């Protein structure tokens, strides 16, 4: 106990609990070990991307030599141009943006509505329906390829983008993810108060559910966009080289008797750049939404 505290009357002396509260608002500072660990994780995470860029800037002959190159060469732009022309990435980029964007918007919208229904609404067989929804995640997607292709062929949608979009309009993972978030983030009293005030179901969803679910919607949107952009199995079956997505178009770079590895790496780099740009543009909003949801929770 300090001299200043001895002079204070008993009621005016700061207690241990009060000192903890006063110190709770201080900003925590990371130590050197934390920075070292974060730097190591960052280097490990960036290593594949850096190697792709290095390989894309070299020639195929140089990549076959030992030891492999560890720094950038001078053929990056020529290899990027070759990959763009050979794979027809102009049309593929537009198709992938349309497909991934449509799937992302529909999944976030429908998963939020379904998650709200399972989290806060009471209806018959809700538990059984939720169990069935979760159970669909245990079925390997490869088992659905043949019946799904026959269904799309019957609809006359072969080699069309809606063949890729329709099966992914909503996901069981997204529904379960939003349900788990809204159970904690959205108080039931808030929904009941809106109903007492005469708000319709649509108004409750727009003015109550969506604002409360915004952080989780941002995370789900990012995950869905990345998954839809990188999806390869179903698009390579449903589409052809005349109307491809990026992943289908990049598959054509690996054909031939001796595939050019540097051009393939350049194509992979081009296919990755839109994801990096999207995260650079919206990453701050996404992280901010996550932190806002964590503080509210």
């Amino acid at each position: 106990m300090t001299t200043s505290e001895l002079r204070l009357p008993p009621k005016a002396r700061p207690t241990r609990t009060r000192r903890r509260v006063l110190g709770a608002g201080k900003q925590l500072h990371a130590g050197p070990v934390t920075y070292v660990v974060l730097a190591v994780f960052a280097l490990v995470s960036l290593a594949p991307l850096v190697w792709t860029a290095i390989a894309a800037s070299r020639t195929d002959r140089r990549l076959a030599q030992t030891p492999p190159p560890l720094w950038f060469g001078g053929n990056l732009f020529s290899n990027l141009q070759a990959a763009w022309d050979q794979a027809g990435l102009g049309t593929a980029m537009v198709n992938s943006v349309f497909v991934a964007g449509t799937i992302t918007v529909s999944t976030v919208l429908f998963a939020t509505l379904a998650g709200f229904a399972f989290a806060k609404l009471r209806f018959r067989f809700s538990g059984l329906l939720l169990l069935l929804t979760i159970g669909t995640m245990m079925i390997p997607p490869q088992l659905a390829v043949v019946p799904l292709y026959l269904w799309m062929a019957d609809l006359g949608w072969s080699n069309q983008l809606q063949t890729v979009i329709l099966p992914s309009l909503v996901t069981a993972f997204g529904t379960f993810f939003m349900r788990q978030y809204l159970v904690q983030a959205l108080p039931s009293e808030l929904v009941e108060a809106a109903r007492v005030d005469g708000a319709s179901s649509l108004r409750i969803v727009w003015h109550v559910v969506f604002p409360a679910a915004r952080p989780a919607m941002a995370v789900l949107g990012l995950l869905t966009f990345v998954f839809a952009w990188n999806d390869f199995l179903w698009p390579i079956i449903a589409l052809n080289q005349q109307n491809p997505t990026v992943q289908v178009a990049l598959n054509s770079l690996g054909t031939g008797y001796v595939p050019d590895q540097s051009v393939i790496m350049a194509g992979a780099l081009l296919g990755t750049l839109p994801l990096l740009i999207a995260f650079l543009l919206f990453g701050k909003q996404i992280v901010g939404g996550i932190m806002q949801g964590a503080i509210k929770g």
Side-chain angles (χ1 to χ4, degrees):
M1 187 175 295
T2 62
T3 306
S4 59
E5 291 180 2
L6 291 174
R7 296 176 181 175
L8 295 174
K11 292 184 179 180
R13 295 175 183 174
T15 61
R16 182 177 300 177
T17 304
R18 186 180 176 186
R19 284 196 295 268
R20 290 178 180 176
V21 173
L22 291 175
K26 295 182 179 179
Q27 185 177 2
L28 298 178
H29 296 280
V33 177
T34 303
Y35 286 108
V36 171
V37 173
L38 291 177
V40 170
F41 274 96
L43 290 176
V44 173
S45 302
L46 291 175
L49 181 61
V50 174
W51 166 247
T52 302
I54 292 175
S57 65
R58 295 287 184 164
T59 62
D60 192 48
R61 178 179 298 179
R62 178 64 184 90
L63 293 179
Q65 295 176 359
T66 303
L70 299 178
W71 192 245
F72 299 93
N75 299 324
L76 178 60
F77 293 103
S78 61
N79 288 336
L80 291 176
Q81 186 65 44
W84 184 277
D85 296 335
Q86 293 179 22
L89 288 178
T91 302
M93 286 286 184
V94 175
N95 289 344
S96 284
V97 170
F98 176 73
V99 170
T102 304
I103 291 175
T104 299
V105 172
S106 64
T107 298
V108 172
L109 176 62
F110 293 139
T112 304
L113 295 176
F116 167 66
F118 282 123
K120 297 301 176 181
L121 301 183
R122 299 292 177 264
F123 55 94
R124 186 175 297 180
F125 305 122
S126 61
L128 178 61
L129 291 176
L130 179 61
L131 183 62
L132 292 175
T133 301
I134 298 174
T136 59
M137 294 190 293
M138 304 178 185
I139 301 175
Q142 292 82 359
L143 295 180
V145 167
V146 174
L148 187 59
Y149 183 82
L150 295 177
W151 180 29
M152 295 301 164
D154 291 339
L155 293 175
W157 287 356
S158 298
N159 301 323
Q160 298 183 27
L161 296 181
Q162 57 262 36
T163 308
V164 181
I165 295 174
L166 183 62
S168 303
L169 287 178
V170 66
T171 61
F173 168 77
T175 301
F176 179 71
F177 178 80
M178 295 304 303
R179 187 260 178 191
Q180 293 300 106
Y181 181 84
L182 289 173
V183 165
Q184 300 294 332
L186 181 62
S188 301
E189 294 80 5
L190 191 60
V191 179
E192 296 299 328
R195 292 193 183 277
V196 171
D197 291 340
S200 61
S201 298
L202 182 60
R203 188 163 186 173
I204 291 175
V205 169
W206 185 260
H207 292 284
V208 178
V209 178
F210 283 170
R214 188 176 297 132
M217 292 170 69
V219 176
L220 180 61
L222 178 62
L223 295 177
T224 304
F225 185 84
V226 172
F227 177 80
W229 184 274
N230 292 330
D231 191 18
F232 177 75
L233 175 62
W234 177 237
I236 195 62
I237 296 173
L239 303 176
N240 55 23
Q241 293 297 331
Q242 282 68 43
N243 193 30
T245 58
V246 168
Q247 310 307 325
V248 177
L250 292 178
N251 184 58
S252 64
L253 295 177
T255 59
Y257 185 72
V258 182
D260 193 333
Q261 298 298 326
S262 60
V263 175
I264 293 175
M265 290 297 182
L269 186 62
L270 286 172
T272 308
L273 284 179
L275 296 179
L276 298 177
I277 294 173
F279 186 79
L280 289 176
L281 292 177
F282 304 105
K284 185 176 181 180
Q285 289 78 2
I286 293 172
V287 174
I290 296 173
M291 295 304 297
Q292 181 182 4
I295 293 173
K296 289 182 178 180

